[in-house]
Amino acid sequence: MVERGGGVMRVALLFPGQGAQTPGFLRRLPQHPAVHATLEEVRQVLGQNPEELDGVTALEFTPAVQLATLIAGVAIARALAADGLLADAVAGLSVGAFAAAVACEALSFSDALRLVKLRGEGMADAVPRGHGMAAILGLTEREALRLIARVNERIPLYLASVNAPTEVVVSGEDAALALAAEEAHASGGGVRRLRVSIPSHCPLMDVVSTRLREAMRSIPLGRPRMPYVSNHRARIAVEGTDVGEDLILNVSRTVRWHDSVTLLYELGCRLFVESPPGDVLSNLVKSSFPEARALALDDVPLATVVTLARRGAAA
């Protein structure tokens, strides 16, 4: 939270999911004591050098991508806090929800690392090759649901995420995604295949949710110290158990991301800061709420974000 013009400008910290990663993104994190401490904690907990997780070969594997994304998010949240920028609310897309859970102190980082490792390995084992995800652009959710129904007459296709009023993501087999692309183009929309080989946020991942639920029985969860907005319900998780339920289910349920950002805006958030990697989430904020300020730390230095926040910079 930062003071602005005699009032308060609320800050939301956003954590991306899988798909925006590029080789070496962990090594491009700011040279900051909190970042170094986070990377050292990874070495202690996992017994693994985090720099092994974001190489070209490593990023072909879902467990490495998800761990690296979690690490980046937690490192950035800690660096911002150390420099005086404390978020008023947090939200994470897909695996980004685990970084959000750590940032709001509902989940320890060490437990998050173990859970995300389990999650990534379970996702990689859940389905054979030949699956993935695709963004459908230019169609509303209602139009996309009609498209999905048409594809489902031939092969299963699932609504995975609603990212914006005219951007949804679908999951399924490659053949289903190809049919979805044909249907989208015929309806005047566009399609962008995502850089993931797993059909997330659909019933094909129910087995992963089951494994997470079992693993989380022995993990302590704290009451969030700030609003944590859930993925599949787009509501504030009041208790630690609510956060845990979201972490369990977001891999196998539709993500209501646009509704989540809308809730953050309604809570008064006007500065949205996106953790690396990528700028997908900040661009979604810009398109839906142009009067808010959205910054991606892949594009803007950490010190600049802190300075802008302190000045109460607004769009």
Side-chain angles (χ1 to χ4, degrees):
M1 181 184 295
V2 292
E3 296 296 326
R4 177 177 177 269
V8 170
M9 181 170 68
R10 295 186 180 276
V11 179
L13 190 51
L14 307 180
F15 300 92
Q18 185 176 348
Q21 68 278 355
T22 55
F25 74 88
L26 284 180
R27 279 160 278 191
R28 294 193 296 272
L29 290 173
Q31 295 298 311
H32 190 285
V35 173
H36 298 319
T38 300
L39 297 178
E40 181 56 35
E41 189 172 350
V42 174
R43 295 184 183 94
Q44 296 297 321
V45 174
L46 296 182
Q48 183 175 9
N49 187 339
E51 292 184 353
E52 297 174 356
L53 297 170
D54 69 348
V56 175
T57 302
L59 291 182
E60 295 177 359
F61 298 94
T62 294
V65 175
Q66 298 208 357
L67 279 169
T69 302
L70 166 68
I71 293 163
V74 171
I76 285 295
R78 289 175 169 179
L80 287 171
D83 287 353
L85 178 53
L86 298 174
D88 295 283
V90 293
L93 177 63
S94 190
V95 72
F98 286 83
V102 175
C104 73
E105 300 180 6
L107 179 69
S108 73
F109 183 42
S110 59
D111 284 333
L113 285 167
R114 297 184 183 98
L115 287 170
V116 169
K117 185 174 186 291
L118 175 71
R119 183 184 193 266
E121 291 171 349
M123 293 173 72
D125 294 339
V127 295
R129 290 183 178 274
H131 290 75
M133 305 175 73
I136 298 178
L137 312 173
L139 301 183
T140 65
E141 180 180 354
R142 180 174 296 182
E143 291 168 332
L145 287 172
R146 289 198 290 265
L147 178 155
I148 291 169
R150 292 194 296 272
V151 174
N152 271 323
E153 294 174 359
R154 301 172 61 181
I155 188 169
L157 181 71
Y158 305 93
L159 177 67
S161 179
V162 182
N163 289 346
T166 57
E167 180 179 327
V168 305
V169 176
V170 293
S171 287
E173 296 180 29
D174 289 344
L177 298 179
L179 284 176
E182 293 176 8
E183 291 283 351
H185 290 136
S187 301
V191 176
R192 181 180 73 251
R193 184 70 183 256
L194 304 187
R195 289 188 297 169
V196 296
S197 58
I198 303 293
S200 299
H201 314 304
C202 74
L204 296 174
M205 293 292 117
D206 279 345
V207 63
V208 183
S209 287
T210 299
R211 290 179 65 181
L212 285 170
R213 187 176 298 281
E214 183 61 31
M216 292 188 73
R217 294 186 193 281
S218 60
I219 290 178
L221 296 167
R223 185 183 177 92
R225 70 172 182 83
M226 67 184 73
Y228 166 105
V229 180
S230 67
N231 270 226
H232 73 286
R233 295 184 65 243
R235 295 291 186 269
I236 296 173
V238 177
E239 302 293 341
T241 51
D242 300 324
V243 175
E245 191 68 8
D246 185 55
L247 298 178
I248 289 167
L249 292 178
N250 79 4
V251 70
S252 58
R253 300 292 186 273
T254 300
V255 172
R256 313 296 310 186
W257 183 253
H258 178 67
D259 291 343
S260 297
V261 175
T262 299
L263 178 55
L264 290 169
Y265 189 84
E266 291 172 347
L267 288 172
C269 294
R270 293 297 181 270
L271 177 59
F272 294 80
V273 179
E274 180 179 4
S275 166
D279 57 5
V280 172
L281 303 185
S282 51
N283 285 335
L284 288 172
V285 172
K286 291 174 184 177
S287 65
S288 296
F289 301 99
E291 61 274 30
R293 185 72 179 259
L295 304 171
L297 281 165
D298 248 4
D299 302 325
V300 181
L302 188 73
T304 301
V305 172
V306 174
T307 299
L308 289 173
R310 286 174 176 166
R311 291 176 180 172

